[in-house]
Amino acid sequence: MASYVQYFNEILATFNNLPNKLMGVVATINEPLRSLTHTLIVTNVLLGLLFVTSLVNIYMLWRYGKK
């Protein structure tokens, strides 16, 4: 009977330790995601600038191509 109690206590200790392990995993994953988020923001800004530049070039070609 004592072995069952010990086994049950080990299971409870494992469940009590689970949130700490999950927080460690989340903290490990969170840092690369932060740097990836900054990279994606910069990439989107640069793509937006490229799109605006393309529109301006098309407008200039259309405007001066009519003459």
Side-chain angles (χ1 to χ4, degrees):
M1 185 70 175
S3 63
Y4 290 117
V5 172
Q6 180 65 28
Y7 180 71
F8 187 69
N9 283 337
E10 289 175 5
I11 290 175
L12 287 178
T14 303
F15 282 134
N16 286 334
N17 196 17
L18 199 60
N20 293 333
K21 289 185 178 183
L22 288 175
M23 288 302 293
V25 169
V26 168
T28 304
I29 292 172
N30 193 21
E31 190 57 37
L33 286 181
R34 257 192 210 138
S35 63
L36 181 62
T37 301
H38 294 302
T39 304
L40 289 175
I41 289 171
V42 170
T43 303
N44 284 333
V45 168
L46 291 175
L47 284 173
L49 290 174
L50 181 65
F51 179 73
V52 170
T53 306
S54 298
L55 288 179
V56 170
N57 285 333
I58 291 169
Y59 172 73
M60 290 296 181
L61 287 171
W62 174 75
R63 182 178 172 191
Y64 291 113
K66 288 194 300 185
K67 294 180 181 177

